[in-house]
Amino acid sequence: MFKRILLGIVVIGALPWVWAQGNGRLYDPEPPADSAYVRVVVSAKSPAMDVAVDGAVRFRALPGQEVSDYMVLPGGGHTVALQVTGKSQVAASKVLEVQKGKSLTLVFSAAKGDARTTVFEDKGNTNKLKATLTTYNLGTNGSLDIATADGANKVFTGLAAGSSSSIQVNPIAVELMAKNDKGQGKVKLEMAQGGTYSVMAFEDAQGRPSLKVFQGRVERYTGQ
C-alpha cells in the first residue's frame, strides 16, 4: 500500500540535487563553504528567457515551465533577472538575500515586470535508502489534493497555492494525480534511492493542474 510507503515529513539535510557532469575533466573544484544554491522557474508558459545574476547571464534560453539547474552563489544579496534571450533587456527581476548552505527555488509568475515572485526553501534527502518527493503548487486556482492516480491513497491534501510540501518515500515507480476546482492532471515518475524529485503543479489554459517532474541538478562549478 502507498500509505506504508510514505514515511513522514523530510527535514533539511543533504543537498537536494545531483551534480551535472563535467566535460573533459576528472575533477572540478568544490564550491566555497559559504555557497548558496538557487534555481529559477517561470510558472507561466512564456518565451524562453536568459537567466542572469548580478548582470551576468548564467543560463541561456530557459523556457517557461522548465527549471534551471541550481546556480552556485556566494551568500549575501543578489539580483536574479530574466532577460530577453540574447539581449540585455530585463523582463523581470528579484533581489534575493541568500544564506550559505541554503537551497532556494525562485518562481516568477510570468516573464514581465509586474510578475509575482515566490521563493521556496528546498528540502534535502537525509535517508539514502529513500527518495525525497516535493510538490510545489505554482497555480492560482486554490489548493491542490494530490493522490495516487487511482485516487485510493492521499499524498498531499489542501496544498495551498504558492506553497510546497515534502515527504520521504520508497523509491518506486508511481503515477500521481492532482485535483483543484477546475479539474485534474496526472504525471508518472520513477524514483531511485537517494534521489530528490520535484513535482511542479502548473496550470493549463483552463486552470487545471498540469504536472511536471524535475530532478534537481547543480550547474557545473569550475571556480571561475
Side-chain angles (χ1 to χ4, degrees):
M1 293 292 291
F2 197 73
K3 288 182 179 178
R4 293 197 294 269
I5 294 170
L6 304 184
L7 299 180
I9 299 297
V10 68
V11 296
I12 296 173
L15 301 179
W17 52 64
V18 294
W19 287 97
Q21 293 292 324
N23 296 317
R25 298 175 63 179
L26 183 59
Y27 298 108
D28 282 330
E30 290 283 342
D34 67 346
S35 295
Y37 302 85
V38 178
R39 63 181 179 175
V40 174
V41 58
V42 180
S43 61
K45 287 189 175 180
S46 62
M49 290 281 158
D50 291 345
V51 178
V53 178
D54 301 329
V57 174
R58 300 288 287 266
F59 287 100
R60 297 283 185 185
L62 178 70
Q65 299 188 348
E66 296 290 333
V67 180
S68 75
D69 292 349
Y70 283 97
M71 298 174 285
V72 181
L73 304 178
H78 300 280
T79 299
V80 181
L82 301 175
Q83 296 184 178
V84 177
T85 299
K87 301 180 180 180
S88 59
Q89 178 185 347
V90 174
S93 66
K94 172 70 173 178
V95 177
L96 284 181
E97 186 71 27
V98 299
Q99 299 179 28
K100 66 179 182 179
K102 299 294 186 180
S103 303
L104 304 177
T105 296
L106 171 60
V107 180
F108 289 89
S109 65
K112 56 183 182 179
D114 60 351
R116 300 182 313 277
T117 56
T118 307
V119 180
F120 296 93
E121 184 175 333
D122 294 333
K123 313 300 182 184
N125 192 341
T126 58
N127 186 338
K128 295 305 180 184
L129 297 178
K130 305 297 179 182
T132 297
L133 177 64
T134 302
T135 298
Y136 303 75
N137 184 354
L138 304 184
T140 59
N141 285 291
S143 62
L144 290 177
D145 292 329
I146 299 170
T148 51
D150 59 10
N153 299 288
K154 296 179 180 179
V155 184
F156 302 107
T157 301
L159 184 63
S163 69
S164 67
S165 189
S166 299
I167 54 175
Q168 285 187 334
V169 299
N170 284 338
I172 64 168
V174 66
E175 185 175 23
L176 298 179
M177 175 177 62
K179 291 183 178 180
N180 64 10
D181 291 340
K182 302 293 185 179
Q184 65 184 42
K186 296 180 181 180
V187 71
K188 294 180 179 180
L189 66 155
E190 295 186 7
M191 296 176 283
Q193 286 183 343
T196 302
Y197 301 88
S198 299
V199 176
M200 295 197 172
F202 304 104
E203 286 178 351
D204 65 15
Q206 288 73 45
R208 298 170 299 198
S210 174
L211 305 183
K212 288 187 176 183
V213 176
F214 302 94
Q215 189 169 10
R217 293 176 60 90
V218 175
E219 66 179 352
R220 183 184 178 200
Y221 181 77
T222 63
Q224 298 178 352

